[in-house]
Short mmCIF file of all heavy atoms in Angstrom, two decimals:
data_model
loop_
_atom_site.label_atom_id
_atom_site.label_comp_id
_atom_site.label_asym_id
_atom_site.label_seq_id
_atom_site.Cartn_x
_atom_site.Cartn_y
_atom_site.Cartn_z
N THR A 3 -214.92 -69.77 1.81
CA THR A 3 -215.58 -70.86 1.15
C THR A 3 -216.51 -70.36 0.06
O THR A 3 -216.58 -70.91 -1.05
CB THR A 3 -216.40 -71.68 2.17
OG1 THR A 3 -215.54 -72.15 3.18
CG2 THR A 3 -217.08 -72.86 1.48
N THR A 31 -230.43 -71.42 -25.67
CA THR A 31 -230.88 -70.79 -24.46
C THR A 31 -230.14 -71.36 -23.28
O THR A 31 -229.87 -72.55 -23.23
CB THR A 31 -232.42 -71.05 -24.28
OG1 THR A 31 -233.12 -70.51 -25.40
CG2 THR A 31 -232.93 -70.41 -23.01
N GLY A 35 -229.34 -70.29 -12.02
CA GLY A 35 -230.18 -69.97 -10.85
C GLY A 35 -229.85 -70.74 -9.64
O GLY A 35 -228.79 -71.35 -9.46
N LEU A 36 -230.81 -70.80 -8.73
CA LEU A 36 -230.74 -71.52 -7.45
C LEU A 36 -231.78 -72.55 -7.32
O LEU A 36 -232.91 -72.41 -7.82
CB LEU A 36 -230.89 -70.51 -6.30
CG LEU A 36 -229.78 -69.45 -6.10
CD1 LEU A 36 -230.18 -68.53 -4.99
CD2 LEU A 36 -228.45 -70.09 -5.83
N ASN A 40 -234.31 -76.41 1.36
CA ASN A 40 -234.82 -75.92 2.64
C ASN A 40 -234.24 -74.53 2.85
O ASN A 40 -233.59 -73.98 1.94
CB ASN A 40 -234.48 -76.83 3.80
CG ASN A 40 -232.98 -77.08 3.96
OD1 ASN A 40 -232.18 -76.14 3.86
ND2 ASN A 40 -232.61 -78.34 4.19
N ARG A 58 -229.02 -79.67 -21.06
CA ARG A 58 -228.03 -80.26 -20.15
C ARG A 58 -228.06 -79.43 -18.85
O ARG A 58 -228.14 -78.19 -18.94
CB ARG A 58 -226.64 -80.22 -20.76
CG ARG A 58 -225.56 -80.74 -19.81
CD ARG A 58 -224.17 -80.74 -20.39
NE ARG A 58 -223.88 -79.43 -21.00
CZ ARG A 58 -223.24 -79.32 -22.16
NH1 ARG A 58 -222.85 -80.40 -22.85
NH2 ARG A 58 -222.97 -78.14 -22.63
N GLY A 68 -216.93 -76.70 8.12
CA GLY A 68 -217.15 -76.38 9.52
C GLY A 68 -215.89 -76.65 10.37
O GLY A 68 -215.15 -77.59 10.11
N LYS A 92 -235.59 -83.29 -20.56
CA LYS A 92 -236.53 -83.11 -21.68
C LYS A 92 -237.66 -82.26 -21.21
O LYS A 92 -238.12 -82.38 -20.06
CB LYS A 92 -237.02 -84.46 -22.16
CG LYS A 92 -235.96 -85.35 -22.71
CD LYS A 92 -236.55 -86.65 -23.17
CE LYS A 92 -235.39 -87.59 -23.65
NZ LYS A 92 -235.89 -88.88 -24.04
N GLY A 113 -217.48 -85.97 1.31
CA GLY A 113 -217.42 -85.42 2.66
C GLY A 113 -216.14 -85.79 3.34
O GLY A 113 -215.54 -86.79 3.05
N ASN A 119 -207.64 -87.49 16.31
CA ASN A 119 -207.49 -88.95 16.31
C ASN A 119 -208.27 -89.68 15.22
O ASN A 119 -208.28 -90.87 15.16
CB ASN A 119 -207.96 -89.50 17.66
CG ASN A 119 -207.21 -88.87 18.80
OD1 ASN A 119 -206.00 -88.72 18.74
ND2 ASN A 119 -207.93 -88.57 19.89
N ASN A 121 -209.73 -89.42 10.98
CA ASN A 121 -209.94 -88.80 9.65
C ASN A 121 -210.75 -89.77 8.83
O ASN A 121 -210.46 -90.95 8.78
CB ASN A 121 -208.55 -88.60 8.94
CG ASN A 121 -207.69 -87.59 9.66
OD1 ASN A 121 -208.16 -86.56 10.13
ND2 ASN A 121 -206.42 -87.89 9.78
N MET A 144 -237.79 -67.85 -14.58
CA MET A 144 -238.57 -69.10 -14.44
C MET A 144 -238.60 -69.52 -12.96
O MET A 144 -237.59 -69.40 -12.29
CB MET A 144 -237.92 -70.25 -15.24
CG MET A 144 -237.61 -69.94 -16.70
SD MET A 144 -238.97 -70.28 -17.81
CE MET A 144 -239.08 -72.01 -17.70
N ARG A 154 -228.42 -94.25 -4.20
CA ARG A 154 -227.11 -93.75 -3.73
C ARG A 154 -226.37 -94.88 -3.05
O ARG A 154 -226.92 -95.69 -2.34
CB ARG A 154 -227.36 -92.64 -2.72
CG ARG A 154 -226.17 -92.09 -2.04
CD ARG A 154 -226.49 -91.00 -1.05
NE ARG A 154 -227.14 -89.84 -1.67
CZ ARG A 154 -226.48 -88.76 -2.09
NH1 ARG A 154 -225.20 -88.67 -1.93
NH2 ARG A 154 -227.14 -87.78 -2.65
N THR A 156 -222.89 -95.23 -0.62
CA THR A 156 -221.95 -94.45 0.17
C THR A 156 -220.86 -95.34 0.74
O THR A 156 -221.11 -96.41 1.27
CB THR A 156 -222.69 -93.79 1.39
OG1 THR A 156 -223.76 -92.96 0.85
CG2 THR A 156 -221.78 -92.92 2.21
N VAL A 164 -211.68 -97.44 13.36
CA VAL A 164 -213.10 -97.44 12.90
C VAL A 164 -213.14 -98.15 11.56
O VAL A 164 -212.35 -97.83 10.64
CB VAL A 164 -213.63 -96.01 12.79
CG1 VAL A 164 -215.04 -96.01 12.27
CG2 VAL A 164 -213.55 -95.28 14.13
N THR A 182 -236.98 -74.06 -7.61
CA THR A 182 -235.96 -73.44 -8.44
C THR A 182 -236.36 -72.06 -8.90
O THR A 182 -237.55 -71.80 -9.13
CB THR A 182 -235.64 -74.31 -9.66
OG1 THR A 182 -236.83 -74.44 -10.45
CG2 THR A 182 -235.16 -75.69 -9.29
N THR A 188 -229.37 -65.72 -23.57
CA THR A 188 -228.63 -66.25 -24.71
C THR A 188 -227.36 -65.42 -24.83
O THR A 188 -227.37 -64.26 -24.52
CB THR A 188 -229.44 -66.23 -26.03
OG1 THR A 188 -229.83 -64.88 -26.26
CG2 THR A 188 -230.65 -67.11 -25.97
#
Side-chain angles (χ1 to χ4, degrees):
T3 303
T31 301
L36 294 176
N40 59 43
R58 176 179 48 221
K92 295 179 183 179
N119 302 320
N121 295 317
M144 307 273 292
R154 175 181 298 266
T156 302
V164 177
T182 61
T188 56

